[in-house]
Amino acid sequence: MSYQDHQDHDDLHAMFDATAEEPSDLQVTRMAARATDIPGRRRSRWRWVAWFGLPATALAAFVVIAGSNGQAVAPAASVALSGGEPGIAALSPSSPAVGEDEGVELALADDELLGWDDEGEELFGSDMGFSMLQGPASEDDLDAWIEVADALLAEGG
Amino acid sequence: MNSALALPTPVAFPPLRREKARAVSRPAPTDPHAVAVERQLVRAALDGDGKAFESLVKPHLSVLYRISVRACSDSALAEDAVQEALTKAFEQLRRYQPGTSFRAFLAAIAVQRAKTLLRSERRRRAREEASEAPPSAANPRQLVEAQRTAVRVREALEAMPPKRRSAAMLRLDAGLSYAEIAQALGSTEGSTRVLVHLALKELKARLADVMEADAKGSASR
């Protein structure tokens, strides 16, 4: 680096120093106080994530899907929850086109394809399923669950 | 002054001696006791101890604020940005290696946040430019010029490629050493020296007219 370069760097340093803004003592005290709250706040959030975790994610997804697409799609979610294969081509977003109307009729016609298996009924018939359905009574709660799910996915990604 | 003995014109901002430029921070001390204390504080903070986290970050709040306010010119926004940077730092605290530079660790996060602030500030300035009042008695021309210089600096930083901008801010605002900047950017010290040099060269080019005007202003005083 040449002398001129060193000089230029010094000039820039001086310019930055002259145009910089230092915090007042009050500001530093305030920022420090806010910093003190961070660990406690973050830990509470992760406790929430650990407590609700995947069941909340799955249930939130079910509620959103059931609410937007109606009952025909709900069994697909129950199949997903039970770990079964989404066997209905018409209900799979990535499935090849069968003829949309034709596919929907096919889906509605066959209970087995719809995934109304015992496992699905048990989940929703059980106390756990019913009480979890009663959990997020409001949109705010649902948003919180989805936020938790995003955070969990981000943590795992 | 006798023109026959005229000395070279000093620039408006007094050049700093390179050896003592500013409080350019050195790499974190390798004192085992200091490292042990730092490790303990990190562990306690991760366990939820707010006071421990405050002890870790308080010495560096000025630097974080300086970086943030460089990007947004609003003190309240800058404080919020510092808070966000500290939150991010806490989330990544497990990755921090005690004994390396905690200042570099924090400053790297702050310059990342500054990127968003710079963009928002540019939009805000664009909206306000039409309503900018001429200097008044309560707002002396000198003060306005200083503010304009700060705006030009901010615009120059915003126009730079991200890594060069980060290098410039870490060197000029955070006062980090090359080793610390290398740590912050995840690079080698050699590459960092080149990057900083290029960054400052670009800044100089972008701000040449401002520096020249200030030099002339200083000469006429």
Side-chain angles (χ1 to χ4, degrees), chain A residues 1-43 45-47 155, chain B residues 11 13-16 18 22 45-51 53-54 57-58 61-62 65-66 69-70 75 79-80 82-83 86-87 90-91 149-150 153 157 171-173 197 200 203-204 207 210-211:
Chain A
M1 214 160 57
S2 66
Y3 172 79
Q4 185 58 45
D5 288 335
H6 283 296
Q7 187 67 40
D8 291 343
H9 290 192
D10 286 344
D11 293 344
L12 280 168
H13 271 295
M15 178 184 276
F16 266 64
D17 280 341
T19 53
E21 195 177 316
E22 299 292 338
S24 63
D25 289 343
L26 178 62
Q27 284 178 301
V28 171
T29 305
R30 189 162 53 224
M31 287 189 286
R34 289 174 76 182
T36 310
D37 293 335
I38 292 172
R41 218 180 323 126
R42 299 304 294 172
R43 279 175 64 83
R45 185 183 181 197
W46 289 117
R47 255 187 237 124
E155 176 68 6
Chain B
V11 293
F13 305 107
L16 302 170
R18 273 189 298 285
R22 53 241 312 276
L46 287 170
D47 283 340
D49 186 343
K51 282 292 179 189
F53 188 64
E54 183 196 349
V57 304
K58 192 167 182 181
L61 289 175
S62 296
Y65 180 83
R66 187 173 156 133
V69 82
R70 170 76 61 198
S75 60
E79 284 189 44
D80 287 344
V82 168
Q83 182 74 1
L86 292 176
T87 303
F90 181 75
E91 288 171 8
T149 302
V153 168
L157 287 169
R171 183 69 176 166
L172 296 173
D173 271 324
H197 171 68
L200 298 193
L203 258 185
K204 170 83 195 312
L207 297 170
V210 178
M211 295 171 79

Side-chain angles (χ1 to χ4, degrees), chain B residues 7-34:
Chain B
L7 296 171
T9 306
V11 293
F13 305 107
L16 302 170
R17 298 185 65 182
R18 273 189 298 285
E19 304 81 48
K20 299 180 189 173
R22 53 241 312 276
V24 174
S25 59
R26 301 289 172 238
T30 53
D31 171 24
H33 175 70

Side-chain angles (χ1 to χ4, degrees), chain A residues 55-107:
Chain A
T57 310
L59 193 61
F62 164 75
V63 170
V64 169
I65 293 169
S68 59
N69 290 334
Q71 201 172 14
V73 185
S78 76
V79 170
L81 284 171
S82 65
E85 290 181 7
I88 308 165
L91 293 180
S92 164
S94 60
S95 63
V98 169
E100 207 172 322
D101 293 340
E102 191 181 332
V104 169
E105 283 176 15
L106 187 69

